[in-house]
């Protein structure tokens, strides 16, 4: 209504885990803290191994390093705040801090999807055009592709955050989430344009995620067709094994994302736990999948450990 007097919101309260039974919070804190530390260490280990092993200085592992970086930064943007709030009685977050957290989580989330798409393209070129691989995936091209993913992620993150924070927030300032989650925040907005902004945000997120997924699926259609043309069973297995880790991470990433965005409405506590699957579990699982399912990387990690911890053996 024109001329309506809104009481403006200057800070938000992150409800998060505060509705859970208090005696369970230390156990949750420890569980998520260990997963957070493992995520950081796992991704740093992958980056250090790729950096130190010359045999891994290839496009596939350059993209994996970029993915590990975006994974670390995404986790750092969301999880520490969640952990602090579990043990604290002070759950307020300023307007600026909330916008900053949303920007970074969107930026690294989108970058992650774009990198997975480019890794799919890399596997497609390696398997379907092996003779042209070194030309099509030169170091300069790879650096450009990685820069493009980060720049696009930043632009998308900035665009969504500016659209959301241009809205007026009034009345309740309780965000029923452990972070500045876009849809939890949009519920607090008031004014005529809220519904159109909500629809715009959904369209941007869905079209970016689905566009990436479509191109990944397309890459794998060509990859599978090329693999089926290989005469020997051993050759087919060996070629497909180079894609397994990437394919598994794609399934985990999109599986957890769809659980969050396509799930039916449920209780607040189960919503909080379900949301941690994407923000905590996905970055936690990625380094495990890549280091266990990728033979080359697994052997390189083993080799670097042996070099560091058994000088007498060498």
């Amino acid at each position: 209504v024109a001329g309506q007097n809104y009481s403006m919101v200057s800070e938000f309260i992150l409800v998060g885990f505060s509705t859970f039974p208090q005696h369970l919070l230390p156990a949750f804190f420890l569980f998520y803290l260990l997963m957070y530390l493992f995520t950081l260490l796992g991704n740093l280990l992958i980056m250090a191994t790729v950096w130190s092993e010359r045999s891994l200085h290839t496009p596939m592992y350059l993209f994996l390093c970029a993915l590990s970086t975006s994974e670390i930064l995404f986790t750092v943007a969301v999880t520490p705040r969640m952990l602090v709030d579990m043990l604290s009685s002070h759950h307020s977050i300023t307007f600026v801090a909330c916008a900053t957290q949303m920007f970074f989580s969107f930026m690294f989330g989108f970058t992650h999807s774009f990198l997975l798409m480019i890794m799919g393209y890399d596997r497609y070129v390696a398997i379907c055009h092996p003779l042209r691989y070194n030309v099509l995936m030169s170091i300069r091209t790879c650096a450009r592709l990685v820069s493009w993913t980060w720049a696009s992620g930043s632009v998308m993150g900035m665009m969504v955050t500016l659209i959301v924070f241009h809205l007026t927030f009034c009345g309740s300032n309780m965000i029923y989430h452990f972070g500045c989650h876009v849809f939890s925040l949009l519920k607090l907005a008031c004014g005529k344009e809220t519904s159109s902004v909500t629809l715009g945000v959904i369209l941007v997120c869905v079209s970016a995620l689905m566009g990436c997924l479509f191109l990944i699926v397309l890459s794998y259609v060509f990859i599978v067709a090329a693999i089926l043309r290989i005469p020997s069973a051993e050759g087919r297995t060996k070629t497909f094994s180079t894609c397994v880790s990437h394919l598994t991470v794609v399934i985990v990433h999109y599986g957890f994302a769809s659980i969050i965005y396509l799930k039916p409405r449920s209780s607040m506590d189960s919503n909080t736990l379900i949301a941690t699957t994407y923000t905590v579990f996905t970055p936690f699982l990625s380094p495990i999948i890549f280091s266990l399912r990728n033979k080359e990387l697994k052997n390189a990690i083993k080799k670097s450990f042996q070099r560091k911890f058994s000088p007498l053996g060498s």
Side-chain angles (χ1 to χ4, degrees):
V1 184
Q4 187 173 336
N5 212 356
Y6 287 140
S7 61
M8 300 293 284
V9 171
S10 60
E11 62 169 22
F12 299 103
I13 307 292
L14 295 171
V15 175
F17 284 86
S18 62
T19 55
F20 281 60
Q22 291 300 302
H23 65 279
L24 291 178
L25 290 183
F28 275 117
F29 174 81
L30 193 63
F31 176 65
Y32 287 120
L33 176 67
L34 289 173
M35 286 182 82
Y36 172 63
L37 294 174
F38 189 90
T39 303
L40 296 185
L41 289 171
N43 282 300
L44 287 169
L45 178 64
I46 288 174
M47 289 162 72
T49 307
V50 172
W51 189 260
S52 61
E53 286 294 323
R54 285 199 69 79
S55 63
L56 299 182
H57 290 187
T58 61
M60 183 168 128
Y61 292 104
L62 171 74
F63 296 139
L64 183 54
C65 264
L67 193 75
S68 287
T69 308
S70 83
E71 209 109 88
I72 286 172
L73 294 171
F74 177 79
T75 319
V76 167
V78 181
T79 313
R81 172 78 212 207
M82 179 185 92
L83 290 170
V84 168
D85 280 354
M86 273 187 202
L87 300 184
S88 159
S89 55
H90 178 77
H91 297 147
S92 66
I93 185 168
T94 64
F95 207 74
V96 175
C98 194
T100 307
Q101 191 192 56
M102 186 188 284
F103 165 68
F104 283 124
S105 58
F106 265 122
M107 175 189 169
F108 301 128
F110 281 127
T111 302
H112 198 247
S113 295
F114 297 148
L115 281 166
L116 287 175
M117 177 182 75
I118 279 168
M119 288 170 91
Y121 172 71
D122 170 70
R123 292 298 80 214
Y124 158 74
V125 176
I127 291 165
C128 301
H129 304 284
L131 299 176
R132 297 179 60 206
Y133 183 75
N134 289 338
V135 177
L136 290 172
M137 301 301 281
S138 66
I139 289 296
R140 180 179 281 188
T141 306
C142 293
R144 272 199 197 128
L145 287 170
V146 169
S147 307
W148 173 84
T149 61
W150 285 89
S152 304
S154 307
V155 168
M156 299 281 279
M158 184 60 77
M159 195 167 73
V160 174
T161 308
L162 286 176
I163 291 169
V164 171
F165 279 86
H166 249 82
L167 292 170
T168 307
F169 295 95
C170 52
S172 172
N173 66 343
M174 309 280 275
I175 299 176
Y176 289 97
H177 202 277
F178 53 78
C180 287
H181 184 250
V182 64
F183 297 118
S184 305
L185 200 61
L186 283 168
K187 286 176 187 163
L188 309 182
C190 44
K192 289 175 192 164
E193 66 272 31
T194 306
S195 55
S196 54
V197 166
T198 306
L199 191 64
V201 169
I202 291 169
L203 280 174
V204 168
C205 294
V206 169
S207 54
L209 288 170
M210 287 298 132
C212 289
L213 185 60
F214 172 73
L215 292 169
I216 291 168
V217 169
L218 197 63
S219 297
Y220 276 100
V221 167
F222 288 116
I223 286 168
V224 169
I227 287 172
L228 291 175
R229 288 198 294 271
I230 298 170
S232 72
E234 192 189 344
R236 284 197 292 271
T237 308
K238 196 176 173 186
T239 307
F240 188 68
S241 69
T242 62
C243 306
V244 171
S245 53
H246 173 254
L247 197 54
T248 312
V249 167
V250 167
I251 292 166
V252 166
H253 178 73
Y254 279 94
F256 283 145
S258 60
I259 285 170
I260 287 175
Y261 293 109
L262 306 176
K263 67 173 172 36
R265 293 195 183 281
S266 51
S267 76
M268 216 160 61
D269 288 358
S270 67
N271 276 350
T272 302
L273 288 176
I274 289 167
T276 62
T277 57
Y278 188 72
T279 50
V280 183
F281 276 91
T282 310
F284 167 75
L285 289 173
S286 282
I288 298 175
I289 294 163
F290 277 113
S291 49
L292 292 182
R293 302 290 322 185
N294 188 311
K295 202 182 263 182
E296 218 179 346
L297 184 63
K298 193 159 66 173
N299 291 341
I301 290 171
K302 256 188 220 163
K303 215 161 78 179
S304 61
F305 265 101
Q306 281 163 354
R307 267 208 310 267
K308 282 185 177 67
F309 297 112
S310 58
L312 296 172
S314 58

